[in-house]
Amino acid sequence: MKSKNIFLATLTLVLSHAVALAQSDRHQEADELFNKFAYAKAIPKYEQMVVDGHNESHAFQRLAECYLLLRDFEKSIPYFKRFIEHSDTPTNFYFKYAMALKSSGEEKEALKWLKKYKKYHKNDSRIKQFLKDGNLASIVFNSRERYEVEPVSFNTEYSEFGTFLHEGKLYFSSSRKNGKNDKLYDWNNEPWLDIYYVPEGNTIATPKKFEGEVNSKYHESSLVFSTDYKNDTVIYFTRNNYFQNKEGFHTKKKEDKEVENLNNLKIYKAERINGEWKVTRNLKTNADHYSTGHPSINTERTLLFFASDRPGGYGGTDIYYSKIHPRGGIGQPVNAGPIVNTSGNEMFPYVNNEGQLFFSSDGHLGFGQLDVFATVADSTGQIKEVVNLGKPLNSEKDDFGYYALDNGIDGYVSSNRKGGKGSDDIYKFRFIPSLTVEGVVTDAVNLKPLDSVEISIYDQATGELMSKTTTDKNGEYQLLINRNKNYRIEAVRRTHPHKSVYFSTKTIDRATKLIKQDIQLEPVLDVKLLAGLKKIYFDFNNAAIRPDAALELNKVIKLMKETYPEMVIKLESHTDPVGSHSYNDELSERRAKSTYEYLVGNGIAKHRILSYKGFGKRMPVNECNSKTDCPPEELELNRRTEFPVVQLKGTLVTKNNVSK
């Protein structure tokens, strides 16, 4: 019995040791696959480690990283939750977890982990981007959707991304199966990327593989056409760079152990030789220790833009550019600077035919992971800021590979957003140029511009106020509006009655960016409002023009001389209720006459004052009846002169004398 127990104990020990060795081998194998970028193959190995209960924390971390690198953020979150609270979790995982949460719409939880990350990484520039006043920052972006986006017909269940149009053919990268070489790439279990092309705009054509030496047994992407110093057509493209390992890849520096198993990118140049495309050059911007890829050439073909994680940048991958010398050589790389580049990743640069730089980034504030941004430059070409291109061009997932046609309206973008066919898909977009309504508001009588007119624009269908502004000193206004709407503009000024103007943008051509809508306002027939008058008062029992009254009358003179030189008015004078009717009638007549004489004496033609008349105390402005029931200041309100407008424009036939 004793020997049997010893045997069983020995057997148990041997089996336990065997299990431990197997688990250790599985752990090592999983890590080797991870380090070779074989994430799709590493995932089941790490999952088995979890089942076996072997080094679970490490397995959860690696599973989260695998799904992040495969850009499947939702699948990474359950694994993050299994280790993120552990005290020994590296703090850099806090940011990764926050971004996965943000991409999945869990913003409250994302804010929590960004704040935790900030405690340990206060100098990370991304914190300033994503946290504002202790809250998760939101994108300041015009709510108008500026793009229409739809998937292209040639997407497959595999990856398609990156486009370039040349001589009617649309070139792109794809990992689709081609029937000849279906070897899978261990990163994502998809075939290797090659360059394909399809007639642009043809929705039924089958893509064809690009012929020549550009495609190889490795990855090729981001192809662009250009010309060399002889004006011959050349191609720049991206290809993977591999190093020696047991799978048979080889390196130029076998002795350099630090570069083994790295999976870097390089930019190559191809030329047409004897009718065939030949790869002729590995650019000097490349190196074995870092990646350089995603080339783009400006229209003048003087600058090569690219992305690189070379040492000395601001973060993961940065945007660089190099001068293309007249003889075709490529100059030293220049970093595009901290306005463009962040501590995150900037990649897929593209320069349109107006010289504007576009790129994708996960370091600038966006809707999800990689978003497309555009640079804004000043008159000297100096980049001053970057702007997010907004939804629906951008999504909560990765959006990249922006490419616009020369018309500035159509283009393509790549994305792994929900609803696509594969991991990455190509989408065609149509840019909707901003539409502006602008005009000048003028006085309908003198045709002079009117400042300080409040312009409000309403949606006719809903009555909703869409926007408002005020005319400037030149009477000009400008407002952004939407297409396919019916609008009502309301113009309001104290001196001019409200006026509504109706117009529609439903039939406006897409290329139209500006609608002119001038407005004329009829002035009110009220001198007090038009001249901005205060009341013209007289002293008790006096018809003399007071100094304060003279200032107000000068406003009337200016109005009649400069603003409305054809204006014809009447003068009406009134008294307070103190005294008899006969006395006040005579006093008001004298006040009317003194006002008339002041205006005529200062240059107003007699025929423009149709009459002057005193109304005594018959038309008070308040309830005062005597000195006993009103204080002096209320009595004074009734001692006034008013100016009814007879006409603002035109010739009035009158006699030389003035009616009294």
Side-chain angles (χ1 to χ4, degrees):
M1 179 65 69
K2 183 177 180 180
S3 61
K4 182 178 179 182
N5 290 339
I6 294 173
F7 174 76
L8 288 174
T10 304
L11 179 61
T12 301
L13 181 64
V14 170
L15 289 174
S16 298
H17 182 64
V19 170
L21 287 175
Q23 290 175 339
S24 177
D25 288 344
R26 190 174 293 114
H27 183 165
Q28 183 178 353
E29 184 180 3
D31 282 352
E32 284 182 359
L33 290 168
F34 183 90
N35 292 330
K36 291 177 182 177
F37 317 104
Y39 306 120
K41 288 186 175 181
I43 285 173
K45 303 293 183 183
Y46 288 121
E47 288 176 338
Q48 188 59 47
M49 286 175 59
V50 173
V51 173
D52 295 340
H54 176 68
N55 204 349
E56 290 176 279
S57 181
H58 176 75
F60 288 136
Q61 287 185 25
R62 283 296 169 85
L63 283 165
E65 288 186 285
C66 282
Y67 282 113
L68 284 182
L69 290 163
L70 290 171
R71 314 304 285 177
D72 195 338
F73 308 107
E74 280 93 346
K75 286 187 178 179
S76 72
I77 291 175
Y79 296 109
F80 271 115
K81 289 180 178 179
R82 301 297 294 271
F83 71 86
I84 198 69
E85 299 277 7
H86 295 176
S87 59
D88 60 346
T89 296
T91 57
N92 65 301
F93 277 98
Y94 297 167
F95 186 85
K96 295 177 182 179
Y97 184 39
M99 291 298 98
L101 290 166
K102 184 176 184 294
S103 178
S104 300
E106 300 181 41
E107 295 194 350
K108 185 176 180 180
E109 195 70 7
L111 174 61
K112 168 186 170 182
W113 288 99
L114 273 176
K115 287 181 175 179
K116 284 191 175 184
Y117 179 78
K118 183 181 179 181
K119 291 180 181 179
Y120 302 96
H121 304 272
K122 292 181 179 179
N123 295 325
D124 190 328
S125 63
R126 292 174 295 181
I127 291 298
K128 296 178 182 178
Q129 290 273 359
F130 291 101
L131 283 180
K132 298 291 184 184
D133 300 323
N135 294 308
L136 199 63
S138 59
I139 298 174
V140 179
F141 184 80
N142 196 311
S143 61
R144 294 178 183 83
E145 293 188 351
R146 302 289 299 279
Y147 293 86
E148 295 173 349
V149 178
E150 61 179 358
V152 298
S153 59
F154 51 84
N155 287 324
T156 68
E157 62 184 293
Y158 301 100
S159 291
E160 280 80 31
F161 67 91
T163 52
F164 191 91
L165 182 64
H166 180 69
E167 294 182 347
K169 296 177 181 177
L170 188 69
Y171 295 83
F172 63 97
S173 302
S174 176
S175 62
R176 65 186 61 211
K177 290 185 177 181
N178 55 44
K180 296 180 181 179
N181 178 18
D182 290 338
K183 182 179 178 181
L184 300 181
Y185 179 40
D186 291 341
W187 182 303
N188 56 7
N189 268 349
E190 290 189 6
W192 294 71
L193 290 165
D194 281 325
I195 304 295
Y196 290 79
Y197 67 90
V198 67
E200 206 276 332
N202 190 324
T203 59
I204 60 173
T206 301
K208 295 182 179 180
K209 200 170 183 180
F210 189 80
E211 296 179 353
E213 292 183 354
V214 171
N215 288 322
S216 69
K217 63 180 180 179
Y218 305 129
H219 285 302
E220 284 79 31
S221 68
S222 305
L223 175 146
V224 296
F225 284 83
S226 186
T227 57
D228 61 13
Y229 68 97
K230 296 178 292 185
N231 208 34
D232 292 336
T233 301
V234 298
I235 290 172
Y236 295 94
F237 67 97
T238 305
R239 177 182 285 170
N240 279 73
N241 176 43
Y242 287 90
F243 299 97
Q244 178 67 43
N245 58 37
K246 63 183 180 182
E247 306 302 322
F249 302 137
H250 54 275
T251 178
K252 294 180 180 179
K253 296 183 179 180
K254 294 183 181 180
E255 70 279 8
D256 191 343
K257 300 300 182 183
E258 293 183 3
V259 302
E260 286 187 1
N261 296 328
L262 288 180
N263 181 1
N264 287 329
L265 307 177
K266 289 184 177 181
I267 299 175
Y268 291 84
K269 181 180 178 181
E271 300 175 68
R272 186 180 284 277
I273 300 175
N274 297 324
E276 294 186 8
W277 286 104
K278 301 287 185 180
V279 178
T280 59
R281 186 175 301 178
N282 175 347
L283 299 191
K284 292 181 180 180
T285 55
N286 299 325
D288 290 338
H289 294 73
Y290 52 79
S291 285
T292 304
H294 311 313
S296 180
I297 308 291
N298 66 339
T299 302
E300 296 77 16
R301 294 161 183 166
T302 57
L303 294 174
L304 170 70
F305 289 80
F306 55 91
S308 177
D309 60 357
R310 63 196 307 118
Y314 291 92
T317 56
D318 282 1
I319 304 298
Y320 290 82
Y321 62 90
S322 293
K323 289 185 178 180
I324 302 175
H325 298 301
R327 296 294 295 177
I330 305 297
Q332 289 296 313
V334 177
N335 192 290
I339 296 177
V340 170
N341 294 313
T342 69
S343 54
N345 296 293
E346 283 71 47
M347 54 186 70
F348 291 95
Y350 165 72
V351 182
N352 68 7
N353 58 1
E354 296 180 350
Q356 186 176 17
L357 172 65
F358 298 79
F359 63 95
S360 288
S361 171
D362 61 11
H364 290 285
L365 185 61
F367 293 97
Q369 297 294 321
L370 286 174
D371 271 12
V372 180
F373 294 82
T375 57
V376 179
D378 61 18
S379 58
T380 67
Q382 203 67 16
I383 294 175
K384 293 300 182 183
E385 63 175 320
V386 301
V387 294
N388 189 299
L389 295 189
K391 290 185 177 182
L393 190 112
N394 287 318
S395 68
E396 283 72 24
K397 305 302 178 184
D398 287 321
D399 307 287
F400 59 98
Y402 179 94
Y403 174 76
L405 306 189
D406 287 344
N407 63 12
I409 300 292
D410 301 292
Y412 297 87
V413 69
S414 306
S415 178
N416 65 349
R417 66 187 60 191
K418 291 181 179 179
K421 282 189 176 181
S423 53
D424 294 317
D425 287 321
I426 296 171
Y427 292 81
K428 186 168 186 177
F429 68 74
R430 296 209 77 193
F431 175 64
I432 306 172
S434 60
L435 185 60
T436 301
V437 59
E438 69 175 29
V440 179
V441 183
T442 55
D443 186 293
V445 174
N446 58 28
L447 304 182
K448 291 182 179 180
L450 293 172
D451 63 5
S452 305
V453 179
E454 188 175 277
I455 302 293
S456 301
I457 187 163
Y458 295 88
D459 185 325
Q460 280 192 50
T462 65
E464 179 185 0
L465 174 64
M466 306 303 295
S467 187
K468 66 190 307 182
T469 188
T470 303
T471 57
D472 61 17
K473 64 180 181 180
N474 299 313
E476 297 175 350
Y477 74 93
Q478 187 179 79
L479 287 169
L480 285 172
I481 54 176
N482 290 322
R483 296 169 188 272
N484 200 35
K485 294 278 188 181
N486 292 322
Y487 286 111
R488 175 176 67 88
I489 293 180
E490 186 177 73
V492 179
R493 196 175 195 261
R494 186 167 179 263
T495 58
H496 293 69
H498 294 202
K499 183 174 183 178
S500 291
V501 177
Y502 299 86
F503 71 98
S504 176
T505 61
K506 289 192 172 183
T507 59
I508 297 297
D509 183 83
R510 181 183 293 272
T512 300
K513 298 180 181 180
L514 178 67
I515 296 176
K516 291 286 290 182
Q517 190 66 62
D518 294 336
I519 302 171
Q520 287 190 348
L521 296 181
E522 295 285 346
V524 295
L525 298 180
D526 189 326
V527 170
K528 294 192 295 292
L529 286 176
L530 293 174
L533 288 184
K534 299 175 184 176
K535 289 203 180 280
I536 297 175
Y537 298 120
F538 293 87
D539 289 330
F540 179 70
N541 194 27
N542 198 324
I545 302 296
R546 297 183 347 186
D548 61 332
L551 292 175
E552 299 307 307
L553 289 175
N554 289 341
K555 294 179 183 178
V556 177
I557 292 167
K558 183 178 180 181
L559 179 73
M560 297 183 70
K561 281 185 174 182
E562 299 178 11
T563 308
Y564 300 107
E566 298 178 47
M567 175 187 278
V568 176
I569 64 171
K570 293 180 180 180
L571 294 178
E572 296 179 351
S573 187
H574 304 269
T575 68
D576 63 32
V578 179
S580 65
H581 277 298
S582 60
Y583 169 79
N584 282 298
D585 288 345
E586 187 272 333
L587 178 60
S588 63
E589 284 287 343
R590 286 192 288 118
R591 288 175 175 173
K593 183 177 181 182
S594 64
T595 303
Y596 166 76
E597 289 174 345
Y598 185 89
L599 296 180
V600 171
N602 284 276
I604 301 301
K606 292 180 179 180
H607 72 273
R608 297 182 60 198
I609 304 174
L610 190 62
S611 65
Y612 61 87
K613 183 174 179 58
F615 289 86
K617 62 178 184 179
R618 291 176 174 80
M619 301 171 65
V621 295
N622 54 31
E623 300 299 322
C624 290
N625 294 310
S626 67
K627 286 184 179 181
T628 58
D629 62 1
C630 282
E633 59 271 17
E634 290 190 27
L635 282 172
E636 186 183 47
L637 295 177
N638 292 296
R639 301 194 294 267
R640 68 198 189 278
T641 297
E642 296 179 345
F643 308 87
V645 176
V646 177
Q647 69 173 41
L648 287 173
K649 189 173 183 179
T651 302
L652 184 70
V653 179
T654 63
K655 296 181 180 180
N656 290 332
N657 64 319
V658 177
S659 174
K660 295 182 181 180

